[in-house]
Amino acid sequence: MPSFSHFFQILMETKGVFFKAMLLTLELTVVSILLGIIIGLVFALLKISNIKILELISDIYVYLVRGTPLIVQIFILYFGISGIFLLPDFWAASLALALHNGAYISEILRGAIQSVDNGQFEAGRSLGMTKTLTLRRIILPQAFRRALPPLGNQFIISLKDSSLAAFISMNELFNVATTLGSNNFDEMTYLLIVAVYYLLLVALMTFVVNRTELKLAVSDR
Amino acid sequence: MLLSKKFLLVLSTIVACMLSGCGEKQKLEDGSELINKNQFVFATSGEFKPFSYINDDLTMSGFDIEVGEAIAKEMGLEPVQKRIKFKGIVEGVKTGRADAAVASHTINPQRSKHVSFSTPYYYSGPKIFTRPDSKIRTVEDLEGKEVAVAKGSTYADTASKYTDNIKTYDSDITALKALSSGRHDAVITDFVTGKTAEKEGFKIKGQQLINRSEQAIVLPQDNPKLVKRVNESLEQLRENGTLTQISIKYFGEDITKKSE
Amino acid sequence: MIKISQLNKSFGDLHVLKNIDMTVYESDVVCLIGSSGSGKSTLLRCLNFLERKDNGNIIIEGNEVNPRTDDLNKIREKVGMVFQNFNLFPHKTVLENIIEAPVMVKGVDKEKAIIKAKQLLKKVGLEDKSDVYPSKLSGGQKQRVAIARALAMEPDIMLFDEPTSALDPELVGEVLTTMKDLAEEGMTMVVVTHEMGFAKEVADWIVYMHDGRIIERGTPEQFFNHPKEERTREFLTATMLK
């Protein structure tokens, strides 16, 4: 175990390198969450569409993505399909992460949408609003509010999942930690340092999610 | 109350045993230390064909493996392969996860600060590899280009002398594979490794041989007697031609002797 | 204005509406009464197609409605509904609740919609609550907002599905008063209710349903004082209204 002074010294020395890596980690996470929400919403809507074939498509997608490890999915998009199509590393990683998140988010959103009282839907329809309009203006806003806590959780999971991008040579936090660690024959110190950066990011994210929850809860008590 | 106290005691004893069990080596009469008295546990990556690679039955083969096994036999010990990712081998030997490493490590001053090296068991050198259509020829052409290397290798240091744009993978083979499939501009790795990959169909071409290097066995610094034993065994293997034999088997030439 | 003939509806094996014939004329206030399970709510919800009939005809303003080909949304613009559980949109203020449909569905200019909304709020006695969220309102206030919201679409007919059943007794009165005012203005109303006092006072027609059928129909005077059917008499006795 490194001494605290050694740990602190290296922490200060490597500020620049890790900060850059942290930005990349954040970039990967944010892009994959935003895309993931879009993908998740699409598949959630398919699932509640009441059209059998669409529901089946959604089920297959969720099963495939939840049923295989994320690292396998990343490798497929980076190495595997490179015979057909060369995806730049950032997009291979974020796409894999987005698709992966999307499956879990679709379940979160589906649950949230279905938890909105059916009376809300009926009220919208009784006023002459189409299904789409009711969904968009009445149901989804309420569903998103309810989905925030589990979405926030998924956000954090996605942040940690971004570390797998290290295996396709992206210089995000985990890769930088292991590279510097092996260069200096001091893996432990650098792993501890990177843990600190992850904790920082998680704290930041938790704060943002909580603030958003509070702001949106203005309409409820 | 009693039950939980007892449980804690048992638990802490187990944990203490587990913790102490790590890193405790057995001392032999000649003063050298090994993890197990009758075994020579040597580490290698399994990701550096033809020096080390993994078979379908998950055992490892390759030049490094055979050298490791020959040395063990020469010392009268049972050879035990241990697979460690290349980037973690030096530290692995340092902390006692293996007795030594036969993993094509280039002797260099940085590493020498942390571990000891045997006498060189082969001579080679880093080479630039590119895709066949590339215009890169020498290290000067690497400026500003994207170079992929294996983590923890001397190639990473070499690359950083000529470009800032470095991508790291855990294995050289993965780096070469990525290069072959169209990613990155160049890979720096051992010229033998690259040559082998090319022969196996990777779409790559060798360019400048950057310099010559000496590869040796990695040993712990606090175990000079073991270093002595290993060097003696190596010398034996050189004299009786075993080392040359292994080299010719894998490369068709003798890379274990310094070239003129 | 609305004519229903031979309407049937089943939920699975349960035959809930059996050959219903009913006509509602303009400015009529019709009260549907009966015990739970009689099918009165289902019948009401068939009128704005929230429930789909199995067979039979529903003729609105002389045109038979074919749920499969006609634009039900357009029809629903003209048929307002007030629910037992209010169903106000919790994430919108009272004002936003009321202007939502006119702006989004009919494309009314937002400013105009707001003016109309405030007029409606005044009418139901809640003009000072326009920027409040539904969660801060009492049940009676919520229901009055719901009525204003339905009225904002300028419907030809208003449907009320047990509008006061979920309210504390003290709050029932304010809602019934609002409904009474509406009736006096000439709005066509179909009301499913247990409030017999309201029915007696405001309704033009009482329709009594039992077990999926219309048992008896009459003016309040006829219905409460001279019921024709045995079943009706039993009902009135049981509810101690005779």
Side-chain angles (χ1 to χ4, degrees), chain A residues 118-131 133-135 137-139, chain C residues 50 73 76-77 81 83 86-87 89 100-101 105 149 153:
Chain A
N118 200 42
Q120 289 293 303
F121 191 71
E122 289 190 341
R125 309 268 6 238
S126 75
L127 289 165
M129 295 169 81
T130 59
K131 266 195 209 161
L133 193 60
T134 311
L135 194 69
R137 300 279 302 179
I138 308 301
I139 307 295
Chain C
L50 278 185
N73 297 312
R76 291 194 190 109
E77 286 178 38
M81 185 170 238
F83 299 85
F86 333 120
N87 288 335
F89 307 135
E100 177 71 15
V105 177
R149 179 176 69 175
M153 288 295 280

PDB file of all heavy atoms in Angstrom, chain A residues 118-131 133-135 137-139, chain C residues 50 73 76-77 81 83 86-87 89 100-101 105 149 153:
ATOM      1  N   ASN A 118     -54.196   5.353 -15.384  1.00  0.00           N
ATOM      2  CA  ASN A 118     -54.870   5.283 -16.673  1.00  0.00           C
ATOM      3  C   ASN A 118     -55.873   6.429 -16.861  1.00  0.00           C
ATOM      4  O   ASN A 118     -56.159   6.822 -17.981  1.00  0.00           O
ATOM      5  CB  ASN A 118     -55.587   3.931 -16.797  1.00  0.00           C
ATOM      6  CG  ASN A 118     -55.872   3.599 -18.237  1.00  0.00           C
ATOM      7  OD1 ASN A 118     -55.028   3.804 -19.097  1.00  0.00           O
ATOM      8  ND2 ASN A 118     -57.076   3.125 -18.502  1.00  0.00           N
ATOM      9  N   GLY A 119     -56.350   6.935 -15.739  1.00  0.00           N
ATOM     10  CA  GLY A 119     -57.292   8.062 -15.785  1.00  0.00           C
ATOM     11  C   GLY A 119     -56.704   9.278 -16.481  1.00  0.00           C
ATOM     12  O   GLY A 119     -57.395  10.049 -17.129  1.00  0.00           O
ATOM     13  N   GLN A 120     -55.374   9.419 -16.369  1.00  0.00           N
ATOM     14  CA  GLN A 120     -54.704  10.540 -17.032  1.00  0.00           C
ATOM     15  C   GLN A 120     -54.868  10.414 -18.541  1.00  0.00           C
ATOM     16  O   GLN A 120     -55.139  11.379 -19.249  1.00  0.00           O
ATOM     17  CB  GLN A 120     -53.209  10.537 -16.684  1.00  0.00           C
ATOM     18  CG  GLN A 120     -52.909  10.926 -15.254  1.00  0.00           C
ATOM     19  CD  GLN A 120     -53.261  12.375 -15.004  1.00  0.00           C
ATOM     20  OE1 GLN A 120     -52.778  13.264 -15.668  1.00  0.00           O
ATOM     21  NE2 GLN A 120     -54.135  12.604 -14.046  1.00  0.00           N
ATOM     22  N   PHE A 121     -54.665   9.192 -18.997  1.00  0.00           N
ATOM     23  CA  PHE A 121     -54.804   8.920 -20.417  1.00  0.00           C
ATOM     24  C   PHE A 121     -56.240   9.158 -20.883  1.00  0.00           C
ATOM     25  O   PHE A 121     -56.492   9.785 -21.909  1.00  0.00           O
ATOM     26  CB  PHE A 121     -54.373   7.469 -20.680  1.00  0.00           C
ATOM     27  CG  PHE A 121     -54.222   7.127 -22.113  1.00  0.00           C
ATOM     28  CD1 PHE A 121     -53.167   7.636 -22.859  1.00  0.00           C
ATOM     29  CD2 PHE A 121     -55.133   6.295 -22.736  1.00  0.00           C
ATOM     30  CE1 PHE A 121     -53.022   7.327 -24.199  1.00  0.00           C
ATOM     31  CE2 PHE A 121     -54.990   5.974 -24.074  1.00  0.00           C
ATOM     32  CZ  PHE A 121     -53.939   6.490 -24.807  1.00  0.00           C
ATOM     33  N   GLU A 122     -57.184   8.690 -20.079  1.00  0.00           N
ATOM     34  CA  GLU A 122     -58.594   8.847 -20.431  1.00  0.00           C
ATOM     35  C   GLU A 122     -58.986  10.320 -20.453  1.00  0.00           C
ATOM     36  O   GLU A 122     -59.746  10.758 -21.316  1.00  0.00           O
ATOM     37  CB  GLU A 122     -59.476   8.090 -19.435  1.00  0.00           C
ATOM     38  CG  GLU A 122     -59.373   6.594 -19.597  1.00  0.00           C
ATOM     39  CD  GLU A 122     -60.404   5.847 -18.789  1.00  0.00           C
ATOM     40  OE1 GLU A 122     -60.965   6.431 -17.842  1.00  0.00           O
ATOM     41  OE2 GLU A 122     -60.647   4.672 -19.116  1.00  0.00           O
ATOM     42  N   ALA A 123     -58.461  11.078 -19.484  1.00  0.00           N
ATOM     43  CA  ALA A 123     -58.788  12.511 -19.442  1.00  0.00           C
ATOM     44  C   ALA A 123     -58.307  13.183 -20.713  1.00  0.00           C
ATOM     45  O   ALA A 123     -59.027  13.960 -21.341  1.00  0.00           O
ATOM     46  CB  ALA A 123     -58.142  13.154 -18.219  1.00  0.00           C
ATOM     47  N   GLY A 124     -57.079  12.886 -21.097  1.00  0.00           N
ATOM     48  CA  GLY A 124     -56.537  13.484 -22.318  1.00  0.00           C
ATOM     49  C   GLY A 124     -57.386  13.139 -23.519  1.00  0.00           C
ATOM     50  O   GLY A 124     -57.757  13.983 -24.326  1.00  0.00           O
ATOM     51  N   ARG A 125     -57.694  11.844 -23.657  1.00  0.00           N
ATOM     52  CA  ARG A 125     -58.489  11.396 -24.803  1.00  0.00           C
ATOM     53  C   ARG A 125     -59.871  12.017 -24.801  1.00  0.00           C
ATOM     54  O   ARG A 125     -60.405  12.402 -25.831  1.00  0.00           O
ATOM     55  CB  ARG A 125     -58.608   9.877 -24.826  1.00  0.00           C
ATOM     56  CG  ARG A 125     -57.355   9.133 -24.716  1.00  0.00           C
ATOM     57  CD  ARG A 125     -56.613   8.713 -25.961  1.00  0.00           C
ATOM     58  NE  ARG A 125     -57.021   9.127 -27.249  1.00  0.00           N
ATOM     59  CZ  ARG A 125     -57.336   8.310 -28.241  1.00  0.00           C
ATOM     60  NH1 ARG A 125     -57.338   7.018 -28.028  1.00  0.00           N
ATOM     61  NH2 ARG A 125     -57.649   8.779 -29.420  1.00  0.00           N
ATOM     62  N   SER A 126     -60.468  12.118 -23.596  1.00  0.00           N
ATOM     63  CA  SER A 126     -61.834  12.646 -23.522  1.00  0.00           C
ATOM     64  C   SER A 126     -61.872  14.107 -23.950  1.00  0.00           C
ATOM     65  O   SER A 126     -62.919  14.631 -24.316  1.00  0.00           O
ATOM     66  CB  SER A 126     -62.403  12.497 -22.110  1.00  0.00           C
ATOM     67  OG  SER A 126     -61.831  13.462 -21.248  1.00  0.00           O
ATOM     68  N   LEU A 127     -60.738  14.780 -23.919  1.00  0.00           N
ATOM     69  CA  LEU A 127     -60.683  16.173 -24.353  1.00  0.00           C
ATOM     70  C   LEU A 127     -60.420  16.278 -25.851  1.00  0.00           C
ATOM     71  O   LEU A 127     -60.212  17.350 -26.384  1.00  0.00           O
ATOM     72  CB  LEU A 127     -59.586  16.923 -23.583  1.00  0.00           C
ATOM     73  CG  LEU A 127     -59.891  17.192 -22.116  1.00  0.00           C
ATOM     74  CD1 LEU A 127     -58.625  17.583 -21.373  1.00  0.00           C
ATOM     75  CD2 LEU A 127     -60.921  18.306 -22.001  1.00  0.00           C
ATOM     76  N   GLY A 128     -60.362  15.125 -26.512  1.00  0.00           N
ATOM     77  CA  GLY A 128     -60.144  15.154 -27.956  1.00  0.00           C
ATOM     78  C   GLY A 128     -58.674  15.036 -28.347  1.00  0.00           C
ATOM     79  O   GLY A 128     -58.329  15.140 -29.512  1.00  0.00           O
ATOM     80  N   MET A 129     -57.796  14.786 -27.355  1.00  0.00           N
ATOM     81  CA  MET A 129     -56.380  14.651 -27.693  1.00  0.00           C
ATOM     82  C   MET A 129     -56.122  13.274 -28.282  1.00  0.00           C
ATOM     83  O   MET A 129     -56.689  12.285 -27.823  1.00  0.00           O
ATOM     84  CB  MET A 129     -55.531  14.841 -26.424  1.00  0.00           C
ATOM     85  CG  MET A 129     -55.627  16.240 -25.851  1.00  0.00           C
ATOM     86  SD  MET A 129     -54.885  16.378 -24.208  1.00  0.00           S
ATOM     87  CE  MET A 129     -53.174  16.526 -24.614  1.00  0.00           C
ATOM     88  N   THR A 130     -55.261  13.225 -29.298  1.00  0.00           N
ATOM     89  CA  THR A 130     -54.920  11.934 -29.894  1.00  0.00           C
ATOM     90  C   THR A 130     -54.058  11.148 -28.920  1.00  0.00           C
ATOM     91  O   THR A 130     -53.530  11.696 -27.954  1.00  0.00           O
ATOM     92  CB  THR A 130     -54.116  12.106 -31.190  1.00  0.00           C
ATOM     93  OG1 THR A 130     -52.917  12.840 -30.870  1.00  0.00           O
ATOM     94  CG2 THR A 130     -54.916  12.839 -32.243  1.00  0.00           C
ATOM     95  N   LYS A 131     -53.891   9.852 -29.212  1.00  0.00           N
ATOM     96  CA  LYS A 131     -53.048   9.008 -28.362  1.00  0.00           C
ATOM     97  C   LYS A 131     -51.656   9.605 -28.244  1.00  0.00           C
ATOM     98  O   LYS A 131     -51.081   9.693 -27.162  1.00  0.00           O
ATOM     99  CB  LYS A 131     -52.910   7.609 -28.994  1.00  0.00           C
ATOM    100  CG  LYS A 131     -53.900   6.613 -28.498  1.00  0.00           C
ATOM    101  CD  LYS A 131     -53.480   5.192 -28.884  1.00  0.00           C
ATOM    102  CE  LYS A 131     -54.719   4.330 -29.031  1.00  0.00           C
ATOM    103  NZ  LYS A 131     -54.539   3.127 -29.793  1.00  0.00           N
ATOM    104  N   LEU A 133     -50.594  12.716 -28.779  1.00  0.00           N
ATOM    105  CA  LEU A 133     -50.563  13.979 -28.058  1.00  0.00           C
ATOM    106  C   LEU A 133     -50.671  13.745 -26.563  1.00  0.00           C
ATOM    107  O   LEU A 133     -49.930  14.332 -25.774  1.00  0.00           O
ATOM    108  CB  LEU A 133     -51.722  14.876 -28.541  1.00  0.00           C
ATOM    109  CG  LEU A 133     -51.662  16.349 -28.123  1.00  0.00           C
ATOM    110  CD1 LEU A 133     -50.407  17.007 -28.658  1.00  0.00           C
ATOM    111  CD2 LEU A 133     -52.905  17.074 -28.620  1.00  0.00           C
ATOM    112  N   THR A 134     -51.582  12.865 -26.184  1.00  0.00           N
ATOM    113  CA  THR A 134     -51.754  12.550 -24.766  1.00  0.00           C
ATOM    114  C   THR A 134     -50.464  11.979 -24.199  1.00  0.00           C
ATOM    115  O   THR A 134     -50.010  12.363 -23.123  1.00  0.00           O
ATOM    116  CB  THR A 134     -52.883  11.526 -24.568  1.00  0.00           C
ATOM    117  OG1 THR A 134     -54.035  11.950 -25.284  1.00  0.00           O
ATOM    118  CG2 THR A 134     -53.219  11.374 -23.102  1.00  0.00           C
ATOM    119  N   LEU A 135     -49.864  11.055 -24.960  1.00  0.00           N
ATOM    120  CA  LEU A 135     -48.615  10.452 -24.512  1.00  0.00           C
ATOM    121  C   LEU A 135     -47.552  11.523 -24.308  1.00  0.00           C
ATOM    122  O   LEU A 135     -46.900  11.606 -23.273  1.00  0.00           O
ATOM    123  CB  LEU A 135     -48.148   9.444 -25.556  1.00  0.00           C
ATOM    124  CG  LEU A 135     -47.049   8.483 -25.123  1.00  0.00           C
ATOM    125  CD1 LEU A 135     -47.564   7.511 -24.087  1.00  0.00           C
ATOM    126  CD2 LEU A 135     -46.517   7.723 -26.321  1.00  0.00           C
ATOM    127  N   ARG A 137     -47.781  14.929 -24.101  1.00  0.00           N
ATOM    128  CA  ARG A 137     -47.989  16.075 -23.228  1.00  0.00           C
ATOM    129  C   ARG A 137     -48.379  15.708 -21.800  1.00  0.00           C
ATOM    130  O   ARG A 137     -48.119  16.456 -20.868  1.00  0.00           O
ATOM    131  CB  ARG A 137     -49.101  16.970 -23.804  1.00  0.00           C
ATOM    132  CG  ARG A 137     -48.840  17.521 -25.168  1.00  0.00           C
ATOM    133  CD  ARG A 137     -47.968  18.709 -25.158  1.00  0.00           C
ATOM    134  NE  ARG A 137     -48.531  19.788 -24.340  1.00  0.00           N
ATOM    135  CZ  ARG A 137     -47.939  20.965 -24.147  1.00  0.00           C
ATOM    136  NH1 ARG A 137     -46.777  21.208 -24.695  1.00  0.00           N
ATOM    137  NH2 ARG A 137     -48.499  21.874 -23.399  1.00  0.00           N
ATOM    138  N   ILE A 138     -49.047  14.559 -21.674  1.00  0.00           N
ATOM    139  CA  ILE A 138     -49.590  14.219 -20.357  1.00  0.00           C
ATOM    140  C   ILE A 138     -48.840  13.054 -19.700  1.00  0.00           C
ATOM    141  O   ILE A 138     -48.438  13.143 -18.543  1.00  0.00           O
ATOM    142  CB  ILE A 138     -51.088  13.845 -20.476  1.00  0.00           C
ATOM    143  CG1 ILE A 138     -51.858  14.923 -21.227  1.00  0.00           C
ATOM    144  CG2 ILE A 138     -51.671  13.595 -19.105  1.00  0.00           C
ATOM    145  CD1 ILE A 138     -51.800  16.296 -20.592  1.00  0.00           C
ATOM    146  N   ILE A 139     -48.678  11.964 -20.435  1.00  0.00           N
ATOM    147  CA  ILE A 139     -48.118  10.761 -19.816  1.00  0.00           C
ATOM    148  C   ILE A 139     -46.610  10.836 -19.633  1.00  0.00           C
ATOM    149  O   ILE A 139     -46.097  10.633 -18.526  1.00  0.00           O
ATOM    150  CB  ILE A 139     -48.452   9.502 -20.649  1.00  0.00           C
ATOM    151  CG1 ILE A 139     -49.940   9.416 -20.915  1.00  0.00           C
ATOM    152  CG2 ILE A 139     -47.953   8.256 -19.961  1.00  0.00           C
ATOM    153  CD1 ILE A 139     -50.777   9.227 -19.674  1.00  0.00           C
TER     154      ILE A 139
ATOM    155  N   LEU C  50     -64.902   5.870 -25.055  1.00  0.00           N
ATOM    156  CA  LEU C  50     -63.815   5.384 -24.201  1.00  0.00           C
ATOM    157  C   LEU C  50     -63.970   3.886 -24.030  1.00  0.00           C
ATOM    158  O   LEU C  50     -63.030   3.167 -23.763  1.00  0.00           O
ATOM    159  CB  LEU C  50     -63.828   6.072 -22.830  1.00  0.00           C
ATOM    160  CG  LEU C  50     -63.173   7.451 -22.759  1.00  0.00           C
ATOM    161  CD1 LEU C  50     -63.156   7.943 -21.326  1.00  0.00           C
ATOM    162  CD2 LEU C  50     -61.761   7.436 -23.320  1.00  0.00           C
ATOM    163  N   ASN C  73     -61.414  11.264 -32.263  1.00  0.00           N
ATOM    164  CA  ASN C  73     -60.872  12.432 -31.557  1.00  0.00           C
ATOM    165  C   ASN C  73     -61.726  13.658 -31.814  1.00  0.00           C
ATOM    166  O   ASN C  73     -62.009  14.451 -30.932  1.00  0.00           O
ATOM    167  CB  ASN C  73     -59.438  12.702 -31.993  1.00  0.00           C
ATOM    168  CG  ASN C  73     -58.511  11.562 -31.646  1.00  0.00           C
ATOM    169  OD1 ASN C  73     -58.524  11.079 -30.520  1.00  0.00           O
ATOM    170  ND2 ASN C  73     -57.739  11.119 -32.609  1.00  0.00           N
ATOM    171  N   ARG C  76     -64.797  13.422 -29.803  1.00  0.00           N
ATOM    172  CA  ARG C  76     -64.555  13.673 -28.376  1.00  0.00           C
ATOM    173  C   ARG C  76     -64.341  15.154 -28.084  1.00  0.00           C
ATOM    174  O   ARG C  76     -64.498  15.588 -26.942  1.00  0.00           O
ATOM    175  CB  ARG C  76     -63.339  12.887 -27.903  1.00  0.00           C
ATOM    176  CG  ARG C  76     -63.590  11.394 -27.872  1.00  0.00           C
ATOM    177  CD  ARG C  76     -62.520  10.684 -27.091  1.00  0.00           C
ATOM    178  NE  ARG C  76     -62.627   9.246 -27.244  1.00  0.00           N
ATOM    179  CZ  ARG C  76     -61.777   8.503 -27.927  1.00  0.00           C
ATOM    180  NH1 ARG C  76     -60.738   9.063 -28.511  1.00  0.00           N
ATOM    181  NH2 ARG C  76     -61.967   7.192 -28.022  1.00  0.00           N
ATOM    182  N   GLU C  77     -63.964  15.921 -29.086  1.00  0.00           N
ATOM    183  CA  GLU C  77     -63.840  17.362 -28.857  1.00  0.00           C
ATOM    184  C   GLU C  77     -65.174  17.950 -28.479  1.00  0.00           C
ATOM    185  O   GLU C  77     -65.263  18.953 -27.771  1.00  0.00           O
ATOM    186  CB  GLU C  77     -63.338  18.073 -30.120  1.00  0.00           C
ATOM    187  CG  GLU C  77     -61.875  17.855 -30.432  1.00  0.00           C
ATOM    188  CD  GLU C  77     -61.455  18.542 -31.713  1.00  0.00           C
ATOM    189  OE1 GLU C  77     -61.939  19.660 -31.986  1.00  0.00           O
ATOM    190  OE2 GLU C  77     -60.651  17.936 -32.450  1.00  0.00           O
ATOM    191  N   MET C  81     -66.112  15.240 -20.708  1.00  0.00           N
ATOM    192  CA  MET C  81     -66.320  14.260 -19.650  1.00  0.00           C
ATOM    193  C   MET C  81     -65.708  14.705 -18.344  1.00  0.00           C
ATOM    194  O   MET C  81     -64.604  15.256 -18.323  1.00  0.00           O
ATOM    195  CB  MET C  81     -65.742  12.907 -20.061  1.00  0.00           C
ATOM    196  CG  MET C  81     -66.041  11.826 -19.036  1.00  0.00           C
ATOM    197  SD  MET C  81     -65.630  10.194 -19.633  1.00  0.00           S
ATOM    198  CE  MET C  81     -67.173   9.375 -19.511  1.00  0.00           C
ATOM    199  N   PHE C  83     -64.700  13.087 -14.597  1.00  0.00           N
ATOM    200  CA  PHE C  83     -64.476  11.764 -14.020  1.00  0.00           C
ATOM    201  C   PHE C  83     -64.657  11.755 -12.514  1.00  0.00           C
ATOM    202  O   PHE C  83     -64.503  12.782 -11.848  1.00  0.00           O
ATOM    203  CB  PHE C  83     -63.052  11.279 -14.323  1.00  0.00           C
ATOM    204  CG  PHE C  83     -62.738  11.134 -15.781  1.00  0.00           C
ATOM    205  CD1 PHE C  83     -62.312  12.217 -16.523  1.00  0.00           C
ATOM    206  CD2 PHE C  83     -62.876   9.901 -16.412  1.00  0.00           C
ATOM    207  CE1 PHE C  83     -62.027  12.086 -17.872  1.00  0.00           C
ATOM    208  CE2 PHE C  83     -62.585   9.757 -17.760  1.00  0.00           C
ATOM    209  CZ  PHE C  83     -62.163  10.848 -18.497  1.00  0.00           C
ATOM    210  N   PHE C  86     -61.488  12.950 -10.908  1.00  0.00           N
ATOM    211  CA  PHE C  86     -61.039  14.248 -11.420  1.00  0.00           C
ATOM    212  C   PHE C  86     -60.057  14.103 -12.593  1.00  0.00           C
ATOM    213  O   PHE C  86     -60.248  14.703 -13.631  1.00  0.00           O
ATOM    214  CB  PHE C  86     -60.404  15.142 -10.344  1.00  0.00           C
ATOM    215  CG  PHE C  86     -60.887  14.884  -8.950  1.00  0.00           C
ATOM    216  CD1 PHE C  86     -60.035  14.502  -7.938  1.00  0.00           C
ATOM    217  CD2 PHE C  86     -62.241  15.017  -8.645  1.00  0.00           C
ATOM    218  CE1 PHE C  86     -60.491  14.268  -6.652  1.00  0.00           C
ATOM    219  CE2 PHE C  86     -62.718  14.780  -7.358  1.00  0.00           C
ATOM    220  CZ  PHE C  86     -61.840  14.402  -6.357  1.00  0.00           C
ATOM    221  N   ASN C  87     -58.970  13.334 -12.404  1.00  0.00           N
ATOM    222  CA  ASN C  87     -57.963  13.165 -13.469  1.00  0.00           C
ATOM    223  C   ASN C  87     -57.399  14.476 -13.965  1.00  0.00           C
ATOM    224  O   ASN C  87     -57.160  14.661 -15.155  1.00  0.00           O
ATOM    225  CB  ASN C  87     -58.559  12.368 -14.639  1.00  0.00           C
ATOM    226  CG  ASN C  87     -58.739  10.902 -14.270  1.00  0.00           C
ATOM    227  OD1 ASN C  87     -58.045  10.380 -13.401  1.00  0.00           O
ATOM    228  ND2 ASN C  87     -59.694  10.256 -14.903  1.00  0.00           N
ATOM    229  N   PHE C  89     -54.366  17.058 -14.594  1.00  0.00           N
ATOM    230  CA  PHE C  89     -52.969  16.799 -14.930  1.00  0.00           C
ATOM    231  C   PHE C  89     -52.096  17.394 -13.819  1.00  0.00           C
ATOM    232  O   PHE C  89     -51.983  18.600 -13.692  1.00  0.00           O
ATOM    233  CB  PHE C  89     -52.607  17.417 -16.274  1.00  0.00           C
ATOM    234  CG  PHE C  89     -53.534  17.023 -17.395  1.00  0.00           C
ATOM    235  CD1 PHE C  89     -54.025  17.953 -18.281  1.00  0.00           C
ATOM    236  CD2 PHE C  89     -53.929  15.692 -17.544  1.00  0.00           C
ATOM    237  CE1 PHE C  89     -54.878  17.586 -19.316  1.00  0.00           C
ATOM    238  CE2 PHE C  89     -54.791  15.308 -18.569  1.00  0.00           C
ATOM    239  CZ  PHE C  89     -55.267  16.258 -19.454  1.00  0.00           C
ATOM    240  N   GLU C 100     -54.827  23.482 -22.035  1.00  0.00           N
ATOM    241  CA  GLU C 100     -54.079  22.446 -22.741  1.00  0.00           C
ATOM    242  C   GLU C 100     -54.779  21.967 -23.998  1.00  0.00           C
ATOM    243  O   GLU C 100     -54.223  22.036 -25.095  1.00  0.00           O
ATOM    244  CB  GLU C 100     -53.825  21.259 -21.802  1.00  0.00           C
ATOM    245  CG  GLU C 100     -53.122  20.092 -22.432  1.00  0.00           C
ATOM    246  CD  GLU C 100     -51.665  20.355 -22.744  1.00  0.00           C
ATOM    247  OE1 GLU C 100     -51.103  21.335 -22.222  1.00  0.00           O
ATOM    248  OE2 GLU C 100     -51.091  19.601 -23.541  1.00  0.00           O
ATOM    249  N   ALA C 101     -56.006  21.482 -23.840  1.00  0.00           N
ATOM    250  CA  ALA C 101     -56.692  20.908 -25.001  1.00  0.00           C
ATOM    251  C   ALA C 101     -57.044  21.966 -26.049  1.00  0.00           C
ATOM    252  O   ALA C 101     -56.782  21.743 -27.233  1.00  0.00           O
ATOM    253  CB  ALA C 101     -57.918  20.123 -24.557  1.00  0.00           C
ATOM    254  N   VAL C 105     -55.195  20.941 -29.226  1.00  0.00           N
ATOM    255  CA  VAL C 105     -56.058  20.181 -30.134  1.00  0.00           C
ATOM    256  C   VAL C 105     -56.729  21.084 -31.159  1.00  0.00           C
ATOM    257  O   VAL C 105     -56.753  20.795 -32.346  1.00  0.00           O
ATOM    258  CB  VAL C 105     -57.139  19.414 -29.334  1.00  0.00           C
ATOM    259  CG1 VAL C 105     -58.075  18.686 -30.264  1.00  0.00           C
ATOM    260  CG2 VAL C 105     -56.481  18.450 -28.373  1.00  0.00           C
ATOM    261  N   ARG C 149     -62.275  22.559 -17.217  1.00  0.00           N
ATOM    262  CA  ARG C 149     -61.402  22.031 -18.250  1.00  0.00           C
ATOM    263  C   ARG C 149     -62.202  21.413 -19.388  1.00  0.00           C
ATOM    264  O   ARG C 149     -61.904  21.632 -20.572  1.00  0.00           O
ATOM    265  CB  ARG C 149     -60.456  20.986 -17.645  1.00  0.00           C
ATOM    266  CG  ARG C 149     -59.521  20.375 -18.662  1.00  0.00           C
ATOM    267  CD  ARG C 149     -58.544  19.412 -18.024  1.00  0.00           C
ATOM    268  NE  ARG C 149     -59.184  18.202 -17.530  1.00  0.00           N
ATOM    269  CZ  ARG C 149     -58.526  17.171 -17.011  1.00  0.00           C
ATOM    270  NH1 ARG C 149     -57.219  17.223 -16.926  1.00  0.00           N
ATOM    271  NH2 ARG C 149     -59.176  16.114 -16.578  1.00  0.00           N
ATOM    272  N   MET C 153     -63.424  23.197 -24.031  1.00  0.00           N
ATOM    273  CA  MET C 153     -63.485  22.707 -25.413  1.00  0.00           C
ATOM    274  C   MET C 153     -64.823  23.014 -26.073  1.00  0.00           C
ATOM    275  O   MET C 153     -65.067  22.614 -27.201  1.00  0.00           O
ATOM    276  CB  MET C 153     -63.233  21.185 -25.445  1.00  0.00           C
ATOM    277  CG  MET C 153     -61.792  20.830 -25.152  1.00  0.00           C
ATOM    278  SD  MET C 153     -60.667  21.419 -26.394  1.00  0.00           S
ATOM    279  CE  MET C 153     -60.866  20.187 -27.668  1.00  0.00           C
TER     280      MET C 153
END
